Amino acid sequence: VNGQTGAVTVETPKQQIISLTTSSSQDVNKTTVINWDEHLVSGDSAFSHSTGNSSVLINETGTYKIYANIYTDTNNSRTNPSFYFRINGSEVAGRSGSSYARNASAHTHTSTNLEIVRELSSGDSIDIQTFQEANSGTCNLQNRRSIFTIEKMAR
């Protein structure tokens, strides 16, 4: 630059991510918060999470991509649990689409996805709330098939 020479160091931002799953089935066809007890990827300073807890605590202010794939099964007809993210206990935009299971002709499994990008502050907590949208009966979140991931984005 401007006739100067020498070594240039370019720092690549560190990707910070936490990804969780669960080792046990949980009934999600009711109002409840999903508990996550297995870390698939963790250890970054941007997050805190204790196994068996529903919330992930944000330790660093920034922009975050929050996403989940929820996989369920049921033996009850016409269950349709729905899911949404909560920040500090309050629902935010990004409710899931249908998780409708007919329980006919072997249609007992469903999956749905949620994804949002949000500016978060240190101290914010994030979890996933469930609620029954159609017929009653048990609809179980499948262990090790559902994943909740939060990624701090470089800006």
Side-chain angles (χ1 to χ4, degrees), residues 6-35:
V8 175
T9 303
V10 177
E11 291 188 26
T12 303
K14 176 184 167 192
Q15 176 120 8
Q16 294 181 310
I17 194 165
I18 186 169
S19 189
L20 310 167
T21 191
T22 181
S23 65
S24 61
S25 177
Q26 301 171 48
D27 182 10
V28 294
N29 197 35
K30 60 184 179 179
T31 301
T32 189
V33 179
I34 298 173
N35 286 317

PDB file of all heavy atoms in Angstrom, residues 6-35:
ATOM      1  N   GLY A   6       5.958  -5.545   2.890  1.00  0.00           N
ATOM      2  CA  GLY A   6       6.046  -6.264   4.160  1.00  0.00           C
ATOM      3  C   GLY A   6       4.921  -7.276   4.287  1.00  0.00           C
ATOM      4  O   GLY A   6       4.047  -7.380   3.434  1.00  0.00           O
ATOM      5  N   ALA A   7       4.979  -8.017   5.359  1.00  0.00           N
ATOM      6  CA  ALA A   7       3.983  -9.055   5.606  1.00  0.00           C
ATOM      7  C   ALA A   7       2.659  -8.423   6.047  1.00  0.00           C
ATOM      8  O   ALA A   7       2.639  -7.430   6.771  1.00  0.00           O
ATOM      9  CB  ALA A   7       4.471 -10.016   6.679  1.00  0.00           C
ATOM     10  N   VAL A   8       1.582  -9.014   5.585  1.00  0.00           N
ATOM     11  CA  VAL A   8       0.240  -8.571   5.964  1.00  0.00           C
ATOM     12  C   VAL A   8      -0.452  -9.746   6.646  1.00  0.00           C
ATOM     13  O   VAL A   8      -0.449 -10.866   6.147  1.00  0.00           O
ATOM     14  CB  VAL A   8      -0.581  -8.136   4.732  1.00  0.00           C
ATOM     15  CG1 VAL A   8      -2.010  -7.792   5.124  1.00  0.00           C
ATOM     16  CG2 VAL A   8       0.092  -6.977   4.034  1.00  0.00           C
ATOM     17  N   THR A   9      -1.028  -9.482   7.788  1.00  0.00           N
ATOM     18  CA  THR A   9      -1.775 -10.509   8.512  1.00  0.00           C
ATOM     19  C   THR A   9      -3.254 -10.170   8.441  1.00  0.00           C
ATOM     20  O   THR A   9      -3.661  -9.065   8.793  1.00  0.00           O
ATOM     21  CB  THR A   9      -1.336 -10.577   9.991  1.00  0.00           C
ATOM     22  OG1 THR A   9       0.062 -10.832  10.037  1.00  0.00           O
ATOM     23  CG2 THR A   9      -2.077 -11.661  10.725  1.00  0.00           C
ATOM     24  N   VAL A  10      -4.031 -11.108   7.963  1.00  0.00           N
ATOM     25  CA  VAL A  10      -5.476 -10.939   7.903  1.00  0.00           C
ATOM     26  C   VAL A  10      -6.080 -11.955   8.862  1.00  0.00           C
ATOM     27  O   VAL A  10      -5.854 -13.157   8.729  1.00  0.00           O
ATOM     28  CB  VAL A  10      -6.024 -11.170   6.476  1.00  0.00           C
ATOM     29  CG1 VAL A  10      -7.534 -11.062   6.459  1.00  0.00           C
ATOM     30  CG2 VAL A  10      -5.381 -10.207   5.509  1.00  0.00           C
ATOM     31  N   GLU A  11      -6.826 -11.456   9.840  1.00  0.00           N
ATOM     32  CA  GLU A  11      -7.448 -12.353  10.808  1.00  0.00           C
ATOM     33  C   GLU A  11      -8.819 -12.772  10.318  1.00  0.00           C
ATOM     34  O   GLU A  11      -9.612 -11.944   9.893  1.00  0.00           O
ATOM     35  CB  GLU A  11      -7.574 -11.663  12.168  1.00  0.00           C
ATOM     36  CG  GLU A  11      -6.227 -11.435  12.833  1.00  0.00           C
ATOM     37  CD  GLU A  11      -6.386 -10.924  14.247  1.00  0.00           C
ATOM     38  OE1 GLU A  11      -7.421 -11.199  14.871  1.00  0.00           O
ATOM     39  OE2 GLU A  11      -5.460 -10.255  14.711  1.00  0.00           O
ATOM     40  N   THR A  12      -9.068 -14.062  10.345  1.00  0.00           N
ATOM     41  CA  THR A  12     -10.368 -14.598  10.003  1.00  0.00           C
ATOM     42  C   THR A  12     -11.189 -14.701  11.276  1.00  0.00           C
ATOM     43  O   THR A  12     -10.714 -15.248  12.271  1.00  0.00           O
ATOM     44  CB  THR A  12     -10.223 -16.006   9.376  1.00  0.00           C
ATOM     45  OG1 THR A  12      -9.362 -15.899   8.244  1.00  0.00           O
ATOM     46  CG2 THR A  12     -11.559 -16.566   8.964  1.00  0.00           C
ATOM     47  N   PRO A  13     -12.418 -14.171  11.270  1.00  0.00           N
ATOM     48  CA  PRO A  13     -13.232 -14.266  12.478  1.00  0.00           C
ATOM     49  C   PRO A  13     -13.492 -15.723  12.855  1.00  0.00           C
ATOM     50  O   PRO A  13     -13.701 -16.570  12.000  1.00  0.00           O
ATOM     51  CB  PRO A  13     -14.540 -13.580  12.096  1.00  0.00           C
ATOM     52  CG  PRO A  13     -14.309 -12.893  10.809  1.00  0.00           C
ATOM     53  CD  PRO A  13     -13.103 -13.509  10.186  1.00  0.00           C
ATOM     54  N   LYS A  14     -13.453 -15.998  14.134  1.00  0.00           N
ATOM     55  CA  LYS A  14     -13.711 -17.346  14.642  1.00  0.00           C
ATOM     56  C   LYS A  14     -15.208 -17.635  14.592  1.00  0.00           C
ATOM     57  O   LYS A  14     -16.008 -16.821  15.023  1.00  0.00           O
ATOM     58  CB  LYS A  14     -13.217 -17.436  16.087  1.00  0.00           C
ATOM     59  CG  LYS A  14     -13.510 -18.744  16.766  1.00  0.00           C
ATOM     60  CD  LYS A  14     -13.066 -18.697  18.213  1.00  0.00           C
ATOM     61  CE  LYS A  14     -13.647 -19.886  18.950  1.00  0.00           C
ATOM     62  NZ  LYS A  14     -13.489 -19.766  20.376  1.00  0.00           N
ATOM     63  N   GLN A  15     -15.570 -18.772  14.036  1.00  0.00           N
ATOM     64  CA  GLN A  15     -16.962 -19.193  14.023  1.00  0.00           C
ATOM     65  C   GLN A  15     -17.318 -19.690  15.418  1.00  0.00           C
ATOM     66  O   GLN A  15     -16.609 -20.510  15.991  1.00  0.00           O
ATOM     67  CB  GLN A  15     -17.159 -20.332  13.024  1.00  0.00           C
ATOM     68  CG  GLN A  15     -18.553 -20.871  13.026  1.00  0.00           C
ATOM     69  CD  GLN A  15     -19.205 -20.728  11.690  1.00  0.00           C
ATOM     70  OE1 GLN A  15     -18.569 -20.359  10.737  1.00  0.00           O
ATOM     71  NE2 GLN A  15     -20.483 -21.016  11.624  1.00  0.00           N
ATOM     72  N   GLN A  16     -18.382 -19.157  15.985  1.00  0.00           N
ATOM     73  CA  GLN A  16     -18.828 -19.574  17.310  1.00  0.00           C
ATOM     74  C   GLN A  16     -20.193 -20.219  17.175  1.00  0.00           C
ATOM     75  O   GLN A  16     -21.126 -19.614  16.633  1.00  0.00           O
ATOM     76  CB  GLN A  16     -18.872 -18.389  18.269  1.00  0.00           C
ATOM     77  CG  GLN A  16     -17.480 -17.826  18.534  1.00  0.00           C
ATOM     78  CD  GLN A  16     -17.507 -16.674  19.507  1.00  0.00           C
ATOM     79  OE1 GLN A  16     -18.267 -15.748  19.358  1.00  0.00           O
ATOM     80  NE2 GLN A  16     -16.657 -16.751  20.510  1.00  0.00           N
ATOM     81  N   ILE A  17     -20.307 -21.446  17.688  1.00  0.00           N
ATOM     82  CA  ILE A  17     -21.527 -22.218  17.480  1.00  0.00           C
ATOM     83  C   ILE A  17     -21.763 -23.168  18.653  1.00  0.00           C
ATOM     84  O   ILE A  17     -20.812 -23.642  19.271  1.00  0.00           O
ATOM     85  CB  ILE A  17     -21.437 -22.985  16.137  1.00  0.00           C
ATOM     86  CG1 ILE A  17     -22.788 -23.531  15.717  1.00  0.00           C
ATOM     87  CG2 ILE A  17     -20.386 -24.063  16.178  1.00  0.00           C
ATOM     88  CD1 ILE A  17     -22.830 -23.955  14.258  1.00  0.00           C
ATOM     89  N   ILE A  18     -23.030 -23.393  18.947  1.00  0.00           N
ATOM     90  CA  ILE A  18     -23.423 -24.442  19.887  1.00  0.00           C
ATOM     91  C   ILE A  18     -24.538 -25.226  19.215  1.00  0.00           C
ATOM     92  O   ILE A  18     -25.414 -24.642  18.567  1.00  0.00           O
ATOM     93  CB  ILE A  18     -23.863 -23.866  21.252  1.00  0.00           C
ATOM     94  CG1 ILE A  18     -24.117 -24.998  22.244  1.00  0.00           C
ATOM     95  CG2 ILE A  18     -25.077 -22.963  21.124  1.00  0.00           C
ATOM     96  CD1 ILE A  18     -24.306 -24.536  23.685  1.00  0.00           C
ATOM     97  N   SER A  19     -24.479 -26.538  19.307  1.00  0.00           N
ATOM     98  CA  SER A  19     -25.499 -27.396  18.728  1.00  0.00           C
ATOM     99  C   SER A  19     -25.866 -28.459  19.750  1.00  0.00           C
ATOM    100  O   SER A  19     -24.984 -29.119  20.315  1.00  0.00           O
ATOM    101  CB  SER A  19     -24.987 -28.035  17.433  1.00  0.00           C
ATOM    102  OG  SER A  19     -26.032 -28.694  16.764  1.00  0.00           O
ATOM    103  N   LEU A  20     -27.163 -28.606  19.984  1.00  0.00           N
ATOM    104  CA  LEU A  20     -27.661 -29.475  21.043  1.00  0.00           C
ATOM    105  C   LEU A  20     -28.646 -30.490  20.503  1.00  0.00           C
ATOM    106  O   LEU A  20     -29.318 -30.263  19.501  1.00  0.00           O
ATOM    107  CB  LEU A  20     -28.381 -28.625  22.108  1.00  0.00           C
ATOM    108  CG  LEU A  20     -27.634 -27.413  22.635  1.00  0.00           C
ATOM    109  CD1 LEU A  20     -28.575 -26.514  23.406  1.00  0.00           C
ATOM    110  CD2 LEU A  20     -26.477 -27.851  23.501  1.00  0.00           C
ATOM    111  N   THR A  21     -28.750 -31.619  21.195  1.00  0.00           N
ATOM    112  CA  THR A  21     -29.785 -32.607  20.930  1.00  0.00           C
ATOM    113  C   THR A  21     -30.243 -33.142  22.282  1.00  0.00           C
ATOM    114  O   THR A  21     -29.846 -32.639  23.326  1.00  0.00           O
ATOM    115  CB  THR A  21     -29.292 -33.727  19.983  1.00  0.00           C
ATOM    116  OG1 THR A  21     -30.416 -34.512  19.566  1.00  0.00           O
ATOM    117  CG2 THR A  21     -28.247 -34.600  20.628  1.00  0.00           C
ATOM    118  N   THR A  22     -31.082 -34.155  22.253  1.00  0.00           N
ATOM    119  CA  THR A  22     -31.588 -34.725  23.497  1.00  0.00           C
ATOM    120  C   THR A  22     -31.465 -36.241  23.459  1.00  0.00           C
ATOM    121  O   THR A  22     -31.625 -36.853  22.404  1.00  0.00           O
ATOM    122  CB  THR A  22     -33.045 -34.294  23.759  1.00  0.00           C
ATOM    123  OG1 THR A  22     -33.485 -34.855  24.978  1.00  0.00           O
ATOM    124  CG2 THR A  22     -33.971 -34.698  22.633  1.00  0.00           C
ATOM    125  N   SER A  23     -31.177 -36.831  24.593  1.00  0.00           N
ATOM    126  CA  SER A  23     -31.023 -38.291  24.661  1.00  0.00           C
ATOM    127  C   SER A  23     -32.317 -38.984  25.040  1.00  0.00           C
ATOM    128  O   SER A  23     -32.376 -40.202  25.065  1.00  0.00           O
ATOM    129  CB  SER A  23     -29.929 -38.656  25.677  1.00  0.00           C
ATOM    130  OG  SER A  23     -30.328 -38.274  26.977  1.00  0.00           O
ATOM    131  N   SER A  24     -33.364 -38.213  25.348  1.00  0.00           N
ATOM    132  CA  SER A  24     -34.620 -38.832  25.755  1.00  0.00           C
ATOM    133  C   SER A  24     -35.791 -38.249  24.975  1.00  0.00           C
ATOM    134  O   SER A  24     -35.763 -37.090  24.570  1.00  0.00           O
ATOM    135  CB  SER A  24     -34.850 -38.633  27.258  1.00  0.00           C
ATOM    136  OG  SER A  24     -34.915 -37.258  27.550  1.00  0.00           O
ATOM    137  N   SER A  25     -36.807 -39.054  24.791  1.00  0.00           N
ATOM    138  CA  SER A  25     -38.021 -38.628  24.127  1.00  0.00           C
ATOM    139  C   SER A  25     -38.807 -37.698  25.057  1.00  0.00           C
ATOM    140  O   SER A  25     -38.804 -37.887  26.267  1.00  0.00           O
ATOM    141  CB  SER A  25     -38.840 -39.870  23.775  1.00  0.00           C
ATOM    142  OG  SER A  25     -40.049 -39.517  23.194  1.00  0.00           O
ATOM    143  N   GLN A  26     -39.462 -36.687  24.490  1.00  0.00           N
ATOM    144  CA  GLN A  26     -40.277 -35.754  25.274  1.00  0.00           C
ATOM    145  C   GLN A  26     -41.589 -35.511  24.549  1.00  0.00           C
ATOM    146  O   GLN A  26     -41.597 -35.309  23.337  1.00  0.00           O
ATOM    147  CB  GLN A  26     -39.550 -34.410  25.429  1.00  0.00           C
ATOM    148  CG  GLN A  26     -38.212 -34.498  26.111  1.00  0.00           C
ATOM    149  CD  GLN A  26     -37.448 -33.181  26.036  1.00  0.00           C
ATOM    150  OE1 GLN A  26     -37.984 -32.123  26.317  1.00  0.00           O
ATOM    151  NE2 GLN A  26     -36.189 -33.257  25.639  1.00  0.00           N
ATOM    152  N   ASP A  27     -42.707 -35.515  25.287  1.00  0.00           N
ATOM    153  CA  ASP A  27     -44.011 -35.214  24.696  1.00  0.00           C
ATOM    154  C   ASP A  27     -44.073 -33.723  24.381  1.00  0.00           C
ATOM    155  O   ASP A  27     -43.972 -32.891  25.278  1.00  0.00           O
ATOM    156  CB  ASP A  27     -45.131 -35.607  25.654  1.00  0.00           C
ATOM    157  CG  ASP A  27     -46.515 -35.358  25.072  1.00  0.00           C
ATOM    158  OD1 ASP A  27     -46.632 -35.066  23.866  1.00  0.00           O
ATOM    159  OD2 ASP A  27     -47.500 -35.467  25.844  1.00  0.00           O
ATOM    160  N   VAL A  28     -44.234 -33.385  23.095  1.00  0.00           N
ATOM    161  CA  VAL A  28     -44.257 -31.986  22.681  1.00  0.00           C
ATOM    162  C   VAL A  28     -45.637 -31.545  22.200  1.00  0.00           C
ATOM    163  O   VAL A  28     -45.794 -30.427  21.721  1.00  0.00           O
ATOM    164  CB  VAL A  28     -43.186 -31.705  21.593  1.00  0.00           C
ATOM    165  CG1 VAL A  28     -41.789 -31.868  22.163  1.00  0.00           C
ATOM    166  CG2 VAL A  28     -43.389 -32.584  20.369  1.00  0.00           C
ATOM    167  N   ASN A  29     -46.648 -32.396  22.347  1.00  0.00           N
ATOM    168  CA  ASN A  29     -48.000 -32.030  21.937  1.00  0.00           C
ATOM    169  C   ASN A  29     -48.751 -31.409  23.115  1.00  0.00           C
ATOM    170  O   ASN A  29     -49.863 -31.788  23.454  1.00  0.00           O
ATOM    171  CB  ASN A  29     -48.754 -33.241  21.398  1.00  0.00           C
ATOM    172  CG  ASN A  29     -49.974 -32.833  20.596  1.00  0.00           C
ATOM    173  OD1 ASN A  29     -49.953 -31.823  19.908  1.00  0.00           O
ATOM    174  ND2 ASN A  29     -51.027 -33.619  20.678  1.00  0.00           N
ATOM    175  N   LYS A  30     -48.098 -30.482  23.760  1.00  0.00           N
ATOM    176  CA  LYS A  30     -48.642 -29.728  24.893  1.00  0.00           C
ATOM    177  C   LYS A  30     -47.751 -28.503  25.071  1.00  0.00           C
ATOM    178  O   LYS A  30     -46.724 -28.376  24.409  1.00  0.00           O
ATOM    179  CB  LYS A  30     -48.631 -30.583  26.157  1.00  0.00           C
ATOM    180  CG  LYS A  30     -47.239 -31.057  26.563  1.00  0.00           C
ATOM    181  CD  LYS A  30     -47.297 -31.969  27.762  1.00  0.00           C
ATOM    182  CE  LYS A  30     -45.916 -32.461  28.136  1.00  0.00           C
ATOM    183  NZ  LYS A  30     -45.943 -33.325  29.297  1.00  0.00           N
ATOM    184  N   THR A  31     -48.131 -27.622  25.957  1.00  0.00           N
ATOM    185  CA  THR A  31     -47.306 -26.452  26.208  1.00  0.00           C
ATOM    186  C   THR A  31     -46.177 -26.844  27.149  1.00  0.00           C
ATOM    187  O   THR A  31     -46.410 -27.209  28.298  1.00  0.00           O
ATOM    188  CB  THR A  31     -48.140 -25.310  26.811  1.00  0.00           C
ATOM    189  OG1 THR A  31     -49.186 -24.982  25.894  1.00  0.00           O
ATOM    190  CG2 THR A  31     -47.281 -24.082  27.051  1.00  0.00           C
ATOM    191  N   THR A  32     -44.969 -26.818  26.615  1.00  0.00           N
ATOM    192  CA  THR A  32     -43.782 -27.172  27.395  1.00  0.00           C
ATOM    193  C   THR A  32     -42.559 -26.547  26.733  1.00  0.00           C
ATOM    194  O   THR A  32     -42.641 -26.053  25.611  1.00  0.00           O
ATOM    195  CB  THR A  32     -43.625 -28.701  27.522  1.00  0.00           C
ATOM    196  OG1 THR A  32     -42.599 -29.006  28.458  1.00  0.00           O
ATOM    197  CG2 THR A  32     -43.302 -29.351  26.189  1.00  0.00           C
ATOM    198  N   VAL A  33     -41.457 -26.548  27.423  1.00  0.00           N
ATOM    199  CA  VAL A  33     -40.191 -26.080  26.865  1.00  0.00           C
ATOM    200  C   VAL A  33     -39.301 -27.312  26.690  1.00  0.00           C
ATOM    201  O   VAL A  33     -39.196 -28.144  27.591  1.00  0.00           O
ATOM    202  CB  VAL A  33     -39.520 -25.041  27.794  1.00  0.00           C
ATOM    203  CG1 VAL A  33     -38.198 -24.576  27.212  1.00  0.00           C
ATOM    204  CG2 VAL A  33     -40.447 -23.855  28.009  1.00  0.00           C
ATOM    205  N   ILE A  34     -38.674 -27.443  25.543  1.00  0.00           N
ATOM    206  CA  ILE A  34     -37.836 -28.607  25.253  1.00  0.00           C
ATOM    207  C   ILE A  34     -36.541 -28.525  26.063  1.00  0.00           C
ATOM    208  O   ILE A  34     -35.880 -27.495  26.084  1.00  0.00           O
ATOM    209  CB  ILE A  34     -37.512 -28.684  23.746  1.00  0.00           C
ATOM    210  CG1 ILE A  34     -38.799 -28.853  22.944  1.00  0.00           C
ATOM    211  CG2 ILE A  34     -36.540 -29.827  23.471  1.00  0.00           C
ATOM    212  CD1 ILE A  34     -38.609 -28.760  21.440  1.00  0.00           C
ATOM    213  N   ASN A  35     -36.199 -29.624  26.715  1.00  0.00           N
ATOM    214  CA  ASN A  35     -34.927 -29.730  27.431  1.00  0.00           C
ATOM    215  C   ASN A  35     -33.896 -30.399  26.534  1.00  0.00           C
ATOM    216  O   ASN A  35     -34.192 -31.386  25.872  1.00  0.00           O
ATOM    217  CB  ASN A  35     -35.086 -30.531  28.719  1.00  0.00           C
ATOM    218  CG  ASN A  35     -35.795 -29.747  29.782  1.00  0.00           C
ATOM    219  OD1 ASN A  35     -35.525 -28.569  29.976  1.00  0.00           O
ATOM    220  ND2 ASN A  35     -36.722 -30.378  30.468  1.00  0.00           N
TER     221      ASN A  35
END
